[in-house]
Amino acid sequence: MKERFSKTMPRAIALMLACVMLLMCFVSCGKDDGDGKDSSSNTVQAGSDSSRLPLTVQKEDNGGKEFTIYINSQHTNDLLGDMSTRVSQIRYQVNDSVEDLLGIEIVYEEALGNWANRKTFNNAIETMALSDSSEYDIVWANMSSTLSTTMLKGLYMDVNAIDAMKLESPWYVKNMQEEYALNGKLYGVIGDASFTLYEQMEVVFYNKDLLADYKIDDPIEKVESGEWYMEDLFESAKNIASTDADTYTGAIGEDNVGLVWDCVAGRYMTTAWNLSLVERDNTGKVYIAETPSQRLVDIYDYIYDKIDNSGGSVLTPGDIKIITDNFMSGKVAFALTNLGKGSDIRESKFEYSIVPVPKIDEDQTDFVTAVGTSVVSIMVLKNVKDASLSGKVIEAFSYYSHYDGVPQFYDIILKLQYAQDGQFGDILDMIRDKAELPFSVVFSTELKPILTEIFQMNEAYRYGSVGASLPTFWAMKKGSWQSAVDGIYKAVEQLG
């Protein structure tokens, strides 16, 4: 289904309405928060930072030509929607900036593209890529459902060959070239163009009121000194231990609970703790080690023991919704989950805040932000009509989202005083700046059984899929993972 700006209202009227609504948004202290409820938080007037980098894409006039984005319709925060919501206001703002810069009209062709619908969605991409000339100027898709599967079929251009894209810029995630370029070719980019990047960043929410009641120091102080470790988190959780929590179901009873561990977020903790699940030879080619590193085993055993013997102070329920339900109850001190859960807890009756996932120990130098696999990747089909224009659109979308969209989006999903609290703003900037996506996450759907799931740590994984002995599990699965890696490189080599 193609959605055009002009279908809902004349473009001039829509632009005028967007400007009026954004002006109201900037000066009204965030009264409309997108769900009809009042917000006490001020919206940030983005783009006023004197450190804003220049946009390298120059203004040009393409005569209002249509530019088609094939997009997963389930990424609602990336679509132009009802102008009464602040998310849509931001998307219109960014969309208009790109259209005005390049003299184009952006058209969204929407289709269901999440995991359950991936085959139909991906088949449409393949059909278009094999046609004489693609009608899709860019593909905007769920990473785990689409990127690796379609990449290995040779459907995309190497974005390194598109001059307009400045991939070292802060509006893209770091280390794309090092982590998931194959034979020097990068077939998709991930960055600020999509708000899913922010929804998928793994963080720790904490109940400031509950910590104060138990006289536990605000962890922001430890973050600022660089001394926020997993042991601090576990110890704080233990000090607020529940006596009647059910570790498996997540039922918390009447007592307080220290930490609720999102089992899906646990998949990406190797990223957060700077643990590589793959090795590279002297040419940079990935392979699977015969045995897991001793450090990986030691950390696995440490986390396994802390969760398994937590006495109910750490919960790892299999039902993800329990995470936010429990935290909203006001009886949970910490929740390790993704930033997008902020939209579920933003109406809490207690004061909360956010910090990065702790370092695993003192041997870890920097905080690292793990990103989940439902993040959006953006690709350019190999038979696109105008690759240069596609690159300019991606670059401009990423740039305007980075500077003009993200600060407002923070305010919407978190309902925090981002504009007024410099300390919290610095923490959010740190979390974003440290966001990474390693090879094992980007290609997780190829590395079956999914390699990153070793730290999922809910009951089914501790006592079932992985068990208490990581070396034993590794020995059983190493052959499958290596075969998958070999298959990835074979497919790419056949592409030439």
Side-chain angles (χ1 to χ4, degrees):
M1 176 180 69
K2 288 191 177 183
E3 291 292 342
R4 292 180 173 83
F5 205 164
S6 56
K7 278 189 175 182
T8 56
M9 64 184 77
R11 177 172 171 75
I13 297 175
L15 285 169
M16 180 177 67
L17 179 57
C19 291
V20 170
M21 297 191 76
L22 284 165
L23 180 61
M24 292 172 62
C25 184
F26 288 145
V27 302
S28 65
C29 296
K31 290 181 180 178
D32 177 6
D33 61 16
D35 55 11
K37 299 177 183 177
D38 276 1
S39 168
S40 61
S41 177
N42 290 340
T43 300
V44 177
Q45 184 159 3
S48 59
D49 189 344
S50 60
S51 65
R52 180 168 176 151
L53 297 171
L55 174 60
T56 57
V57 177
Q58 301 299 309
K59 188 175 180 62
E60 62 186 47
D61 185 2
N62 285 286
K65 70 183 291 187
E66 285 190 356
F67 184 94
T68 301
I69 298 176
Y70 183 57
I71 188 169
N72 176 4
S73 59
Q74 290 154 306
H75 288 306
T76 54
N77 282 335
D78 288 347
L79 290 165
L80 303 181
D82 183 348
M83 279 288 289
S84 67
T85 71
R86 282 170 55 197
V87 173
S88 291
Q89 291 166 18
I90 299 170
R91 297 315 303 186
Y92 274 105
Q93 179 189 16
V94 172
N95 195 86
D96 289 346
S97 295
V98 176
E99 288 185 328
D100 292 343
L101 178 71
L102 296 171
I104 58 175
E105 179 185 3
I106 297 174
V107 177
Y108 294 88
E109 181 161 339
E110 302 175 30
L112 296 173
N114 280 9
W115 188 254
N117 312 104
R118 67 191 186 281
K119 290 183 179 179
T120 301
F121 186 88
N122 294 345
N123 285 341
I125 296 172
E126 185 170 3
T127 298
M128 190 62 69
L130 297 178
S131 64
D132 291 336
S133 180
S134 173
E135 294 179 11
Y136 301 157
D137 293 290
I138 60 175
V139 173
W140 191 295
N142 180 300
M143 185 184 76
S144 59
S145 302
T146 298
L147 177 60
S148 63
T149 303
T150 51
M151 174 202 306
L152 298 177
K153 291 184 177 181
L155 306 185
Y156 305 123
M157 285 188 64
D158 172 16
V159 293
N160 288 319
I162 305 176
D163 291 337
M165 299 179 67
K166 307 302 179 184
L167 300 177
E168 71 284 354
S169 301
W171 38 91
Y172 299 107
V173 298
K174 292 182 176 180
N175 302 328
M176 291 189 298
Q177 305 284 6
E178 294 87 345
E179 288 294 337
Y180 62 94
L182 296 171
N183 294 344
K185 296 182 178 181
L186 186 67
Y187 295 103
V189 297
I190 296 165
D192 291 356
S194 170
F195 288 153
T196 62
L197 173 61
Y198 292 83
E199 295 170 332
Q200 287 288 295
M201 293 191 303
E202 309 299 349
V203 298
V204 175
F205 290 87
Y206 63 99
N207 183 327
K208 296 185 73 169
D209 294 347
L210 194 55
L211 265 61
D213 290 344
Y214 280 79
K215 295 181 170 48
I216 294 174
D217 292 338
D218 191 318
I220 280 184
E221 297 174 10
K222 291 181 179 294
V223 171
E224 290 182 328
S225 67
E227 297 176 341
W228 169 233
Y229 303 112
M230 284 302 298
E231 186 65 22
D232 298 319
L233 179 57
F234 285 130
E235 281 300 306
S236 296
K238 185 177 179 180
N239 288 335
I240 310 178
S242 172
T243 58
D244 62 353
D246 187 322
T247 302
Y248 184 52
T249 66
I252 61 177
E254 297 300 321
D255 295 334
N256 293 324
V257 173
L259 167 66
V260 180
W261 170 289
D262 182 335
C263 60
V264 173
R267 298 175 185 175
Y268 314 117
M269 289 303 97
T270 49
T271 305
W273 298 329
N274 209 23
L275 295 169
S276 180
L277 295 176
V278 300
E279 303 292 335
R280 292 181 184 271
D281 62 22
N282 56 10
T283 68
K285 186 175 181 179
V286 168
Y287 68 94
I288 305 296
E290 285 296 325
T291 59
S293 70
Q294 189 58 52
R295 179 165 171 77
L296 180 60
V297 173
D298 289 345
I299 291 172
Y300 180 87
D301 291 344
Y302 168 75
I303 298 297
Y304 188 102
D305 177 70
K306 286 292 185 181
I307 291 177
D308 215 44
N309 298 302
S310 68
S313 65
V314 181
L315 305 185
T316 60
D319 183 348
I320 300 172
K321 191 175 185 301
I322 291 175
I323 306 297
T324 50
D325 287 349
N326 282 356
F327 193 75
M328 280 292 284
S329 74
K331 295 187 289 185
V332 172
F334 299 94
L336 190 157
T337 186
N338 63 59
L339 190 65
K341 295 294 194 303
S343 61
D344 295 327
I345 65 176
R346 60 193 298 274
E347 302 298 334
S348 65
K349 293 181 172 57
F350 53 85
E351 188 176 0
Y352 73 92
S353 195
I354 302 167
V355 285
V357 172
K359 299 176 186 178
I360 189 63
D361 56 27
E362 294 182 0
D363 290 334
Q364 182 176 339
T365 304
D366 297 317
F367 293 105
V368 180
T369 301
V371 179
T373 55
S374 291
V375 68
V376 155
S377 55
I378 301 176
M379 292 79 74
V380 179
L381 290 176
K382 63 181 182 180
N383 60 341
V384 70
K385 297 172 186 175
D386 188 343
S388 177
L389 181 59
S390 294
K392 292 172 185 176
V393 170
I394 296 171
E395 184 72 9
F397 244 116
S398 303
Y399 179 90
Y400 289 125
S401 293
H402 181 75
Y403 286 116
D404 300 332
V406 169
Q408 298 177 63
F409 188 65
Y410 273 144
D411 185 69
I412 293 168
I413 65 169
L414 300 177
K415 196 178 179 182
L416 292 166
Q417 296 285 349
Y418 178 71
Q420 298 176 352
D421 187 343
Q423 183 186 46
F424 183 72
D426 290 344
I427 295 296
L428 283 172
D429 289 344
M430 173 193 294
I431 290 169
R432 167 60 185 93
D433 184 59
K434 300 297 184 181
E436 295 185 9
L437 273 159
F439 181 97
S440 57
V441 175
V442 174
F443 291 96
S444 62
T445 55
E446 311 301 321
L447 301 173
K448 296 176 181 177
I450 297 176
L451 177 54
T452 55
E453 290 182 353
I454 60 177
F455 276 95
Q456 182 146 330
M457 287 290 169
N458 61 325
E459 187 100 349
Y461 283 79
R462 292 201 311 280
Y463 298 142
S465 298
V466 182
S469 174
L470 179 58
T472 299
F473 178 72
W474 193 280
M476 294 169 56
K477 306 302 181 183
K478 185 262 176 185
S480 297
W481 295 329
Q482 186 60 56
S483 293
V485 170
D486 292 342
I488 290 170
Y489 280 99
K490 181 178 180 181
V492 172
E493 288 163 2
Q494 289 175 343
L495 299 179

